Amino acid sequence: MKQLYTLLILLIPFVGFGQLGEFTYGGFDNEGFRDFEKTSDGGYAVIGNTYSMNGTSVVYLLKIDEEANEEWFQTFDNLCCEGNSLLQYSDDGYFITGFKNGIYDTPNTSLLIKTDYAGNPEFGTEPISSSPPSSQAEKTYSIQKTLDGGVAYINRRISDNGIELHEYLIKADYSDNSNNLNLSIDPDWDIYSFESTSDSGFIMSGYRYQGSALLLYKTDKYGVEEWSSTIQSTVADEYLYLANFNNIQQTTDGGYILIGSRDITSMQIPTHKNIFLHKTDQYGTTQWTQNYGGELNDFGYSVKEDVDGGFVLIGTYQTNDMMNKPFLVKTNEIGEEQWSRIYGQNDSTSEYGAYSIKINSNGGYIIGGNKTTQNNSDIFMIFTDSNGDTVSLQNSWNCVSNSCVDPMDGTGMYGSIEECEANCSVVIEDSWNCLNDEIG
C-alpha cells in the first residue's frame, strides 16, 4: 500500500508558466506528450504517458479548461502501457489507443480505452483480443471518427525482430463491437498516420526504410484499396522521413497535404535536414513540394489547412547551440512561407519536441509537445494569435477611447468585460449657447 501511495503522489501534476502563452504540466516523473484534442466545452484534452523512475509507464489523460487551467487528470495505472492517440466522442467521453507493454516473454498487446467525460474508464482497460489471434507484438496508433458514427484505428503487428508483419484497419462502434478490415499493404511499409475522408473512406501515410520512400494509400470505407502513390526524392542519397502521427490531412479541394522531413544534400552528401510539405490532388498526384527550416536539423510533425486556404505547420528548429525549439510556419495555398516563429529562444536550458497543432476558433494556433529541462520532461502547450505571437489566456480589459479592449497579455485593468463597460462609458451632456440668434 505504501508503494502505491507514493506512486500516486508522484503522478500529481502541476501547472507551470514559461514565456507568455506557454503552460507546462507534469510532476516529478517524466511525462511524454502524444496528442491533444480541442474539447466540446472549449477546453483541451491531452494524452500522454508518465514514466516512473523504475522504467514503467502508465497512460496519462489530462483535461484543461479554455484558460489552460488543469481541471482533472486520470492515469490508468493498472496497466503497464502507453497511450498514442486520442479523440473526443459524441457523448463527450474519450477514446484512447495505445499498447500494453509485454512482461517477461509476452509480446506487446493493443489497447482501445473508452472513458466518460471525466476520464473514468467505461471499457478497454484490458488488452484487445487479436483477430486473427497473434503471438506477435501489436501496437495501436492513430484513431479517427468515421462518418457512420463509429471510430477507426490502425493496429500494427510486429515480429520479434521488429520487422513489420501487417497492418489492420479496425472499425469499432460505441460498444467496442469491432470489425477487422485486412489492408493489402506490402509489409515493407509502416503506416504512421491516417484520416477519415469525405467519401467515408480513409487516407493513410507510410514510410519504407528500404529506399527511404513515402506512401499515400487511399481506401474505401471497407479498407479496400482505391489507389496508392509513392513519394521518393529525385536526389541521390537524400532520405525522406515521417513522424508517427498527425502528418496527413485531406484538404478542402479534395486533395491531401503531407508533412515530414528530408535530407538536404551538397554534392550528394547530406548536410542537414529540413521540414517539407507535399501537396497532392485527390488521386495522389503531386502538385507541389516546399522545404522550410535553417542550416541544421529541423523536423516536421503536424500540419493543418488554415481558414484562408493556406497551411500552418509545427515542428522543431535546431538553433546554433544545438537546442531544439518549437517552429511554427504559416504558408499560402501553394506552400510559400509567409512567416515563421521560433519559440523558447530565451530559454537556454530547455529543449522542446513540438508534435501537434490545432487551429483555434479565434484564428490563433495551439501547439502541444514535450519540454525537457535538466533531464525532466513535461508536457507543454503554447497559445498564439493568428500571427503566431504568443498570447495570455487570462482575459483582461482596458478602456481605450470609450471602448473595452483586451490587451491579450493579461495586463488589463479590469478582470471582466462587464466591469470594464461599467467604468468605460462616458456620458456627454448636451449644452447650448445662443450665438448671433442661432443655437450652437
Side-chain angles (χ1 to χ4, degrees):
M1 180 64 69
K2 183 177 180 181
Q3 182 178 4
L4 177 60
Y5 178 80
T6 303
L7 174 64
L8 292 176
I9 290 295
L10 291 177
L11 291 176
I12 294 175
F14 66 87
V15 181
F17 304 92
Q19 61 185 326
L20 176 69
E22 179 188 312
F23 301 82
T24 58
Y25 309 87
F28 296 103
D29 291 331
N30 287 314
E31 278 69 48
F33 173 95
R34 288 296 181 269
D35 203 0
F36 77 96
E37 280 272 298
K38 200 169 189 319
T39 54
S40 57
D41 62 359
Y44 310 90
V46 181
I47 187 67
N49 306 291
T50 293
Y51 303 94
S52 64
M53 289 179 289
N54 64 7
T56 61
S57 61
V58 294
V59 177
Y60 177 101
L61 178 61
L62 171 69
K63 178 67 174 64
I64 60 179
D65 65 19
E66 60 186 359
E67 294 185 349
N69 301 304
E70 178 200 326
E71 294 185 301
W72 52 259
F73 76 101
Q74 293 280 6
T75 58
F76 304 94
D77 49 4
N78 61 320
L79 298 169
C80 183
C81 58
E82 297 195 19
N84 283 325
S85 190
L86 168 77
L87 69 81
Q88 187 176 39
Y89 198 62
S90 55
D91 64 350
D92 292 337
Y94 302 94
F95 275 100
I96 301 166
T97 62
F99 62 93
K100 181 176 182 180
N101 295 313
I103 57 175
Y104 303 110
D105 294 328
T106 61
N108 294 340
T109 47
S110 295
L111 286 173
L112 176 67
I113 300 173
K114 173 65 173 64
T115 79
D116 64 13
Y117 70 95
N120 301 305
E122 294 180 337
F123 66 76
T125 54
E126 293 300 325
I128 298 171
S129 298
S130 298
S131 178
S134 171
S135 60
Q136 278 86 28
E138 295 185 341
K139 295 183 179 182
T140 299
Y141 288 93
S142 299
I143 187 167
Q144 297 286 333
K145 294 177 183 177
T146 56
L147 297 185
D148 60 7
V151 297
Y153 56 94
I154 295 289
N155 194 33
R156 181 185 296 175
R157 185 169 294 177
I158 305 170
S159 68
D160 293 337
N161 60 4
I163 297 176
E164 187 75 29
L165 292 179
H166 208 88
E167 273 109 358
Y168 296 89
L169 175 64
I170 300 176
K171 292 184 68 175
D173 61 19
Y174 176 80
S175 301
D176 194 28
N177 296 314
S178 299
N179 181 21
N180 188 24
L181 306 178
N182 191 5
L183 298 175
S184 300
I185 299 178
D186 191 303
D188 287 342
W189 293 103
D190 286 349
I191 297 300
Y192 276 3
S193 185
F194 86 116
E195 184 175 85
S196 301
T197 53
S198 57
D199 60 358
S200 299
F202 303 95
I203 184 68
M204 306 177 193
S205 63
Y207 176 72
R208 185 177 63 200
Y209 291 93
Q210 297 295 327
S212 181
L214 307 182
L215 174 72
L216 292 182
Y217 188 84
K218 176 69 174 66
T219 78
D220 63 14
K221 63 181 179 179
Y222 302 108
V224 177
E225 179 181 349
E226 294 183 332
W227 55 259
S228 63
S229 174
T230 301
I231 305 166
Q232 198 158 9
S233 175
T234 57
V235 179
D237 299 316
E238 183 179 283
Y239 285 81
L240 306 178
Y241 309 88
L242 284 183
N244 281 350
F245 318 111
N246 302 313
N247 59 46
I248 185 74
Q249 186 191 20
Q250 187 175 33
T251 52
T252 53
D253 63 0
Y256 304 97
I257 189 74
L258 178 72
I259 187 172
S261 306
R262 71 188 314 156
D263 284 330
I264 303 298
T265 60
S266 175
M267 300 180 66
Q268 298 186 342
I269 298 176
T271 59
H272 60 285
K273 294 178 175 62
N274 272 175
I275 299 168
F276 76 87
L277 285 185
H278 185 87
K279 177 69 173 64
T280 78
D281 64 13
Q282 61 182 328
Y283 302 109
T285 303
T286 298
Q287 294 180 314
W288 52 259
T289 299
Q290 298 279 10
N291 297 336
Y292 316 90
E295 299 301 320
L296 295 173
N297 292 321
D298 310 315
F299 295 92
Y301 293 104
S302 183
V303 61
K304 295 294 180 186
E305 185 176 19
D306 213 341
V307 293
D308 61 358
F311 300 93
V312 61
L313 64 94
I314 192 66
T316 56
Y317 183 98
Q318 193 171 48
T319 60
N320 291 333
D321 55 359
M322 308 303 288
M323 301 286 280
N324 295 316
K325 303 294 182 178
F327 184 41
L328 176 66
V329 180
K330 177 70 175 72
T331 81
N332 63 14
E333 68 278 1
I334 58 173
E336 295 172 335
E337 182 176 330
Q338 295 179 314
W339 52 257
S340 63
R341 302 285 185 269
I342 303 172
Y343 304 103
Q345 294 189 83
N346 295 328
D347 185 350
S348 61
T349 63
S350 299
E351 281 205 278
Y352 293 77
Y355 302 128
S356 187
I357 188 168
K358 303 287 191 293
I359 300 175
N360 215 342
S361 56
N362 62 7
Y365 309 109
I366 315 154
I367 303 162
N370 273 119
K371 179 179 181 179
T372 302
T373 306
Q374 297 179 345
N375 296 320
N376 183 262
S377 178
D378 292 320
I379 292 168
F380 82 84
M381 304 281 284
I382 291 176
F383 297 82
T384 83
D385 61 17
S386 59
N387 295 313
D389 298 319
T390 55
V391 296
S392 170
L393 300 185
Q394 307 296 321
N395 290 330
S396 63
W397 306 88
N398 283 325
C399 181
V400 179
S401 301
N402 299 331
S403 297
C404 290
V405 177
D406 186 350
M408 302 301 288
D409 61 2
T411 61
M413 179 180 297
Y414 303 105
S416 70
I417 182 111
E418 292 80 11
E419 182 185 7
C420 178
E421 289 175 341
N423 291 277
C424 193
S425 59
V426 176
V427 178
I428 300 176
E429 299 289 346
D430 292 337
S431 61
W432 307 91
N433 287 319
C434 181
L435 302 174
N436 298 324
D437 297 328
E438 294 183 0
I439 297 177

